[in-house]
Amino acid sequence: MKSNSGINWILKFAKSLIFPKAEKKSIARKSLFGAVLCIGLSIVPLVVVTSITNGMIDGMTQRIIGLSSSHLQAYVAPNISRVKSAYDFKKYAEEACDVTGVSAFYPEIEISALATGKHGRSGIELRALEQDIFVKNQSFAKLFEVCEGDINDFVNSWNEEAGLPNKVAIIGQKLSKDLDLHAGDTFRVITTRSAGENGDRIIPKLTSFHIAAVVSSGYQELDQFWVFIPLECAYSSLAMESASYNVMIETNDAFSPELVAIQRRLAESFGRYANVYRWDQIHTAEFENFSSTKVMLVFVMMLIVLVATVNISSAIVMLVMERQKEIAILKSIGAKPHGITIAFLLAALSCGAGGLVLGLPVGILFTVFSNQIVNGLECLVNFFSTMGGGGQVHLMDPAYYLSEIPVEIPANQIILIVVAVLLLSVLVSIIPARKAGREKPLDILRKN
């Protein structure tokens, strides 16, 4: 019973510190509510930055894995007989990928080339793939947005009479703008091969392609130079001397611990003519950059929260000074020092919790409507920019970011933010709270 009564008076005293019954003005109480407001305001950008950063990085990662390297990628030697024709290459990929854990495979040829359009030319990365990849591959079907034309013109481009696909291509939106090309247009691709006894002469080969569609992955930095053509067209129409052969391989989960074992089995299946790499090995630099950026942003935001929680310490100091008489009375009737300390720490904890109640819903609301907010701000900025004679401004430059912010509320990190704020609120208040518990009643009464 004694322990229950002790807890009760601590809770009542802590409650009176935050919500006193007296109507007199209290500077300390105003400071406490000011600290709650500061914490709430600091949590809003922390939640928004954490959520948007997670969404952006996950969106970029999803596109890099799904559209560029897939879960695993096998780099095949270019001079072996198994890649001399499209049929042989497909058969080799099919045989090698018949291992446990592989769910799909996509043979691909990559060639660096030059494309000429209506206005200028540009270096491109030719990607020769099977015609049905935009339908069969879930990432291609989901992540590519058709800006012009029809994907089916590429998928159904097989010419029965010729026994080959028609010379059609799908190009990226950025390349389309740079070369002023649109769906239905024809453009030329220039590939080269060496000639002469010593290979000292370069012979260009020009091939015309009809644009079936213009697409965008929403991440311009990734797809700005991509041109997709049917696999058979690469063999029949292009100079293949500089071509690189690889097989994109999908599993059930790109983040599964089993990926290493599948990689080992694939290496054995392909043999010595191919090297197999995981997606995190191929894109190590990009993902390390994503991780460091994410950690740095969260660190800066947590510093802001730390500064806000310091206001609680200042408010508790003022509260201790205001409540010295009550402390003296409580101690004179038998209150323990640790009970006084706990009461002030509970008041600090309540302030942190109040800040969370204010800041979390607002931060989550801003995150959910982040695209609308950015678009609204962009329209406002462009309005004033146009009035001043300036050009269009893009707050989310598609050259470096996703064109649309993926909305993602990271539950684990939100929980971590809650725990961190509550813990910081208590830690910064330990010194003034302990000082309150150590006050001597006689000294307090003598001062007053």
Side-chain angles (χ1 to χ4, degrees), residues 51-52 54-60 63 367 370-371 402 404-408:
S51 302
I52 288 178
N54 272 296
M56 293 289 283
I57 289 176
D58 288 349
M60 291 176 184
R63 284 160 175 78
T367 301
S370 54
N371 285 296
L402 296 179
E404 184 174 342
I405 301 171
V407 176
E408 179 182 324

Side-chain angles (χ1 to χ4, degrees), residues 48-361:
V48 172
V49 168
T50 302
S51 302
I52 288 178
T53 302
N54 272 296
M56 293 289 283
I57 289 176
D58 288 349
M60 291 176 184
T61 301
Q62 188 180 17
R63 284 160 175 78
I64 289 172
I65 295 173
L67 305 179
S68 180
S69 66
S70 198
H71 304 177
L72 294 154
Q73 193 162 31
Y75 293 89
V76 183
N79 298 319
I80 62 174
S81 60
R82 304 302 299 270
V83 298
K84 291 303 181 183
S85 69
Y87 175 81
D88 291 334
F89 187 23
K90 289 179 183 179
K91 200 69 178 174
Y92 178 49
E94 183 179 359
E95 291 171 3
C97 293
D98 188 20
V99 301
T100 304
V102 173
S103 59
F105 64 92
Y106 309 98
E108 175 186 17
I109 296 174
E110 293 184 358
I111 305 174
S112 295
L114 189 69
T116 60
K118 297 176 183 177
H119 301 291
R121 57 186 62 182
S122 172
I124 60 171
E125 183 182 347
L126 275 172
R127 299 184 64 185
L129 295 156
E130 294 176 287
Q131 294 163 254
D132 60 354
I133 190 167
F134 284 89
V135 177
K136 186 168 63 174
N137 186 305
Q138 292 184 0
S139 295
F140 275 65
K142 176 184 175 182
L143 298 176
F144 274 123
E145 178 188 355
V146 180
C147 305
E148 296 180 32
D150 190 350
I151 290 289
N152 290 321
D153 292 342
F154 183 88
V155 176
N156 303 318
S157 61
W158 187 265
N159 189 325
E160 293 290 348
E161 293 181 3
L164 289 170
N166 295 322
K167 294 177 184 176
V168 294
I170 292 176
I171 67 174
Q173 187 180 35
K174 176 66 164 55
L175 187 65
S176 168
K177 291 179 180 178
D178 291 344
L179 300 182
D180 191 21
L181 295 171
H182 304 277
D185 291 345
T186 299
F187 72 108
R188 288 184 174 182
V189 170
I190 303 171
T191 51
T192 60
R193 64 181 179 86
S194 301
E197 294 181 1
N198 300 319
D200 53 354
R201 287 192 300 120
I202 302 297
I203 298 178
K205 185 172 184 179
L206 272 68
T207 310
S208 296
F209 285 92
H210 179 80
I211 299 175
V214 177
V215 298
S216 172
S217 68
Y219 184 23
Q220 184 176 294
E221 188 175 350
L222 182 67
D223 64 16
Q224 58 184 325
F225 300 118
W226 285 351
V227 173
F228 299 96
I229 61 172
L231 188 68
E232 289 80 3
C233 286
Y235 282 97
S236 63
S237 306
L238 304 177
M240 301 285 285
E241 190 174 276
S242 62
S244 62
Y245 303 81
N246 60 71
V247 182
M248 296 188 295
I249 302 157
E250 283 189 354
T251 63
N252 294 325
D253 183 7
F255 300 92
S256 171
E258 287 294 315
L259 203 62
V260 176
I262 297 171
Q263 178 189 18
R264 192 180 303 113
R265 290 195 292 268
L266 280 167
E268 293 173 359
S269 180
F270 274 104
R272 60 194 180 96
Y273 296 112
N275 294 317
V276 182
Y277 298 96
R278 300 186 309 274
W279 63 268
D280 56 331
Q281 292 175 316
I282 299 169
H283 303 289
T284 301
E286 290 94 330
F287 294 116
E288 285 183 353
N289 183 40
F290 289 161
S291 298
S292 59
T293 301
K294 183 177 176 180
V295 170
M296 185 57 66
L297 284 171
V298 173
F299 176 72
V300 171
M301 292 297 104
M302 284 304 297
L303 286 179
I304 296 173
V305 175
L306 178 60
V307 171
T309 55
V310 169
N311 291 326
I312 295 180
S313 179
S314 302
I316 294 297
V317 170
M318 297 181 69
L319 196 61
V320 171
M321 294 175 65
E322 278 191 358
R323 298 302 184 93
Q324 282 186 333
K325 287 184 179 180
E326 292 179 36
I327 294 170
I329 294 169
L330 286 170
K331 296 195 78 173
S332 65
I333 60 175
K336 301 293 183 182
H338 69 269
I340 303 292
T341 300
I342 291 172
F344 279 97
L345 290 178
L346 286 174
L349 186 67
S350 300
C351 288
L356 288 168
V357 170
L358 286 177
L360 279 179

